[in-house]
C-alpha cells in the first residue's frame, strides 16, 4: 500500500482537479486517482458553457490562464417555438464583462492537468477505484491498480463512478431523452450570442464557439433515433426548423453524437468521511448548462481553506459547515434544472403558450430577470 495522503480525490476531471488544487493551496497533502490514462480527455467532444463565477474559481486555482480558447457569451436569446416574444439576457445588465465562456472539455481538462503538475499534486492515472470502505479514522479505496487510504475521500468520479457499496446511495432517474451534440454553422447568430430555444419536445442550445456554434439539442429517444438515421442534410433542415428565425439556416459540421440523459444523485451518511462532489454528487440535465458550474462551486467550497492541521475534529467541523453552506445552491439548481427539463419536454399547445408567456413576463420585469440571471451566473 502506498503512503497515505490526508485527502484522496477520486477522479481527476475538472471538479476533482479544482478540489485537488484548492487542497494543495491550503497546504493539505492530497493525491488524485483517475481511471483513465493521462490525455484521454482528447476524445471528449463536449463544449461547455462556464459561468463568470466558474471562471473566477478557475482563475483562483491557476487553471484559467492555461485554457487555450474561451469564447465569451455576451448575450443569450431565449425563445419558444411558434410563439411571439423573446427574452434577451445580457452581460451589461448584470455588470459583468461576459455572462460566461464556452470552452471545450478537452481544453479545460488539459489545462487542469497542467495546473496540477505546476502545483506538484500527485495524480495516479489508470487507477480505477472499484471499492470503497469506511475505516474508523478515514476511508480506503481500492481497484486493480492498488489500494490507498486517507482520512478523507472526495469523490469526483462523475456520474458513472465507483459503486459505493454501503457507503453511498446512488439513485438515477432517466429522462428518456437524448442530447444530440455537435458543431453547427448558423447563418444569423453573431459571435458572442447564445440561443436557448424551447423547441417543442425538448430544449435546444446554441453556444458561440470558435466562429461556429456548439449545439446541444434535447429530444425524446425515439425522435433522436429517427433523426440519426437521416442524412446530414435532413438533420440540418430539422435543426434549422427547430432553432427558429433567431439562428437562421443551420448546418451540422458532422453528424451529431447522442448522449442519454438522467438525473443522478448520491447521498452519504451524515458524518461520513466520503464526500461526493460534482457529477459524483449530482448529474444534471443540460437544459440550463449548470452541471459543471455547480460542480466547480462544490469543489471550491469544500476544499478551499481546508484545515492544514490534520486534526479530525476541525476537519469534521469544516466539512459539515461547508456542506451546509452548499445546501441551498445545490437544491435550487437541481430542482430548477429538473423542473425546466420536464416543463420543456411537453409539446402541448397550452404548455407552449404558458412557456411563451413566462418568457414574455420575465422579459417585461427587469428586476426578476436580473435575479434569475445572477443565480445562473453565480449560483444561489
Ligand atoms: C451534452 C452535455 C452538455 C453539457 N453542457 C454543460 C454546460 O454547458 N455547462 C456545464 O456547466 N455543464 C455541462 N454539462 C455537464 C458537465 O459536462 C459535467 O457536469 C462535468 O463534466 C462534471 O465534471 P466532473 O469532474 O464532476 O466529472 P467528469 O468530467 O465526468 O470527470 C470524472 C473523472 O473521474 C474519472 N473516473 C470515473 N470513474 C472513476 C473511478 N471509478 N475511479 C477513478 N476515476 C474515475 C474519469 O476518468 C474522469 O476523469 C454537460 C453535460 C452533457 C452530457
Amino acid at each position: 500500500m502506498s503512503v497515505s495522503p490526508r485527502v484522496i480525490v477520486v477522479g481527476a476531471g475538472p471538479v476533482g482537479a479544482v478540489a485537488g488544487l484548492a487542497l494543495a493551496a491550503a497546504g493539505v497533502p492530497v493525491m488524485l486517482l483517475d481511471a483513465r490514462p493521462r490525455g484521454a480527455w482528447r476524445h471528449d467532444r463536449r463544449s461547455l458553457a462556464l459561468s463568470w463565477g466558474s471562471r473566477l474559481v478557475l482563475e483562483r486555482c491557476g487553471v484559467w490562464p492555461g485554457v487555450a480558447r474561451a469564447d465569451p457569451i455576451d448575450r443569450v436569446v431565449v425563445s419558444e417555438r411558434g410563439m411571439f416574444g423573446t427574452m434577451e439576457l445580457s452581460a451589461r445588465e448584470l455588470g459583468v464583462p461576459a455572462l460566461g465562456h464556452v470552452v471545450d472539455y478537452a481544453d479545460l481538462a488539459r489545462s487542469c492537468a497542467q495546473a496540477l503538475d505546476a502545483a506538484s499534486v500527485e495524480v495516479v492515472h489508470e487507477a480505477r477505484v472499484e471499492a470503497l470502505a469506511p475505516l474508523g479514522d478515514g476511508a480506503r479505496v481500492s481497484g486493480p491498480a492498488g489500494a490507498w487510504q486517507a482520512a478523507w475521500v472526495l469523490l469526483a468520479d462523475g456520474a458513472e463512478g465507483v459503486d459505493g457499496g454501503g457507503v453511498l446511495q446512488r439513485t438515477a432517474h432517466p429522462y428518456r431523452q437524448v442530447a444530440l451534440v455537435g458543431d453547427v454553422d448558423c447563418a444569423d447568430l453573431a459571435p458572442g450570442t447564445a440561443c436557448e430555444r424551447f423547441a417543442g419536445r425538448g430544449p435546444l442550445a446554441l453556444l458561440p464557439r470558435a466562429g461556429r456554434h456548439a449545439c446541444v439539442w434535447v429530444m425524446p429517444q425515439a425522435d433522436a433515433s429517427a433523426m440519426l438515421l437521416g442524412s446530414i442534410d435532413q438533420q440540418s433542415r430539422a435543426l434549422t426548423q427547430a432553432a427558429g428565425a433567431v439562428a437562421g439556416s443551420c448546418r451540422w459540421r458532422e453528424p451529431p453524437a447522442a448522449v442519454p440523459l438522467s438525473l443522478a444523485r448520491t447521498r452519504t451518511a451524515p458524518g461520513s468521511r466520503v464526500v461526493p462532489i460534482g457529477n459524483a454528487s449530482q448529474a444534471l440535465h443540460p437544459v440550463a448548462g449548470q452541471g459543471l458550474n455547480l460542480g466547480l462551486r462544490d469543489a471550491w467550497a469544500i476544499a478551499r481553506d481546508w484545515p492544514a492541521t490534520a486534526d479530525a475534529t476541525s476537519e469534521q467541523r469544516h466539512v459539515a459547515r461547508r456542506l451546509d453552506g452548499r445546501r441551498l445552491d445545490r437544491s435550487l439548481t437541481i430542482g430548477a434544472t429538473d423542473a425546466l427539463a420536464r416543463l420543456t419536454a411537453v409539446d402541448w399547445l397550452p404548455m407552449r403558450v404558458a412557456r411563451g408567456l413566462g418568457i414574455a413576463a420575465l422579459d417585461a420585469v427587469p428586476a426578476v430577470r436580473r435575479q434569475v440571471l445572477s443565480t445562473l451566473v453565480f449560483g444561489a
Side-chain angles (χ1 to χ4, degrees), residues 88-104:
E88 228 184 276
L89 307 169
S90 75
R92 198 161 6 107
E93 186 169 5
L94 204 60
V96 289
L99 290 174
H101 289 83
V102 183
V103 303
D104 285 342

Side-chain angles (χ1 to χ4, degrees), residues 25-196:
V28 179
V30 55
M31 169 199 262
L32 274 68
L33 304 173
D34 198 282
R36 297 187 293 177
R38 189 182 165 103
W41 56 71
R42 259 180 237 113
H43 308 292
D44 200 307
R45 284 173 55 192
R46 240 174 307 174
S47 291
L48 302 164
L50 291 183
S51 67
W52 185 258
S54 292
R55 172 183 168 152
L56 295 180
V57 167
L58 294 169
E59 269 175 4
R60 286 176 198 165
C61 292
V63 172
W64 189 255
V67 173
R69 177 158 190 140
D71 290 274
I73 303 173
D74 305 321
R75 61 180 202 129
V76 183
V77 182
V78 185
S79 62
E80 165 73 36
R81 181 174 69 96
M83 297 290 141
F84 288 112
T86 56
M87 172 172 63
E88 228 184 276
L89 307 169
S90 75
R92 198 161 6 107
E93 186 169 5
L94 204 60
V96 289
L99 290 174
H101 289 83
V102 183
V103 303
D104 285 342
Y105 183 96
D107 188 17
L108 178 64
R110 185 197 42 72
S111 179
C112 284
Q114 283 173 354
L116 288 164
D117 289 347
S120 304
V121 177
E122 185 180 0
V123 183
V124 184
H125 285 280
E126 300 183 60
R128 172 172 295 281
V129 170
E130 290 181 350
L132 190 62
L135 304 171
D137 56 353
R140 181 175 190 272
V141 294
S142 57
W148 296 263
Q149 69 183 57
W152 292 88
V153 171
L154 298 189
L155 265 192
D157 52 350
E160 285 152 25
V162 58
D163 174 5
V167 186
L168 306 174
Q169 291 162 359
R170 291 199 195 256
T171 52
H173 302 286
Y175 283 111
R176 300 183 208 296
Q177 285 180 320
V178 164
L180 295 187
V181 298
D183 287 342
V184 298
D185 292 306
C186 300
D188 295 343
L189 270 188
T193 299
C195 160
E196 175 84 40

Side-chain angles (χ1 to χ4, degrees), residues 313-332:
T313 312
S314 339
E315 289 172 333
Q316 295 271 21
R317 216 178 294 130
H318 168 87
V319 171
R321 216 174 24 232
R322 293 296 169 88
L323 285 177
D324 222 33
R326 293 295 306 133
R327 199 158 293 142
L328 174 67
D329 187 22
R330 273 179 164 174
S331 23
L332 199 71

